[in-house]
Amino acid sequence: VTQRQLDALRSLSVAPDEEHLIAAVPDWLAEAAYTQEAISFGIYAAQEPVGLVSLIDPRLMEEDAVSSHFQPDCLYVWRIMIDHRQRGQGYGTAALRLVMNYAQCIGLAGVSLTTMDQEKGNALPLYQNLGFTPTGRRLGDEIELICREMTAS
């Protein structure tokens, strides 16, 4: 990653009324750099970053961490965001479809994630439209969702 690319990624942001839902990108990138189990990808359109996603493969985690927070056979979407100026263009849907394909390529059965479903501005409707369903678990103030096959919409 070049400095120019890093600067462009750091400029991504959510809308001001969504800042409580996810870490600011500079903080996110710093934390991801020290989270060995995480892998992060920029989401690009026409060579410009429009979002960011970080994933965790539970097979790389210690067993007790997996059972308490992760689905053992699913790639975990640790964080995902689309810049507020780029919303409504299908980038989030395309990114989640790519995540599902990636999970299958590395031998996992699906994708799991959590979202602050009781907070205004959360992405629960997007996740449900793609086929994510609640597992019945709550992790803190977030609901856990799982998807083993994305819907066509």
Side-chain angles (χ1 to χ4, degrees):
V1 176
T2 67
Q3 186 64 46
R4 184 177 160 286
Q5 291 168 322
L6 187 58
D7 290 343
L9 286 170
R10 283 195 300 238
S11 73
L12 297 171
S13 65
V14 295
D17 64 342
E18 298 171 338
E19 290 174 350
H20 66 290
L21 296 172
I22 195 162
V25 171
D27 297 338
W28 171 350
L29 291 172
E31 189 175 357
Y34 292 97
T35 304
Q36 292 179 338
E37 302 86 0
I39 184 168
S40 299
F41 298 96
I43 302 166
Y44 285 80
Q47 306 297 320
E48 294 298 320
V50 297
L52 190 62
V53 62
S54 291
L55 310 170
I56 294 177
D57 183 336
R59 298 171 299 185
L60 304 176
M61 304 292 295
E62 292 184 23
E63 195 169 318
D64 59 331
V66 172
S67 63
S68 67
H69 193 81
F70 300 98
Q71 295 291 325
D73 63 342
C74 291
L75 187 63
Y76 180 67
V77 179
W78 178 33
R79 292 182 177 146
I80 185 167
M81 66 83 70
I82 301 298
D83 186 272
H84 67 100
R85 297 162 290 215
Q86 302 294 333
R87 301 267 175 84
Q89 299 180 57
Y91 299 132
T93 297
L96 286 167
R97 289 190 188 286
L98 182 64
V99 168
M100 177 59 87
N101 289 337
Y102 179 72
Q104 292 170 345
C105 285
I106 64 172
L108 291 168
V111 175
S112 69
L113 54 81
T114 59
T115 189
M116 299 173 101
D117 61 314
Q118 298 175 350
E119 294 289 330
K120 182 180 177 197
N122 72 72
L124 183 60
L126 169 68
Y127 301 140
Q128 290 176 320
N129 282 342
L130 290 172
F132 282 86
T133 58
T135 64
R137 289 196 320 169
R138 290 198 71 82
L139 302 167
D141 56 356
E142 299 185 21
I143 187 173
E144 181 184 50
L145 303 171
I146 193 167
C147 182
R148 295 194 187 278
E149 187 174 326
M150 294 248 168
T151 60
S153 62

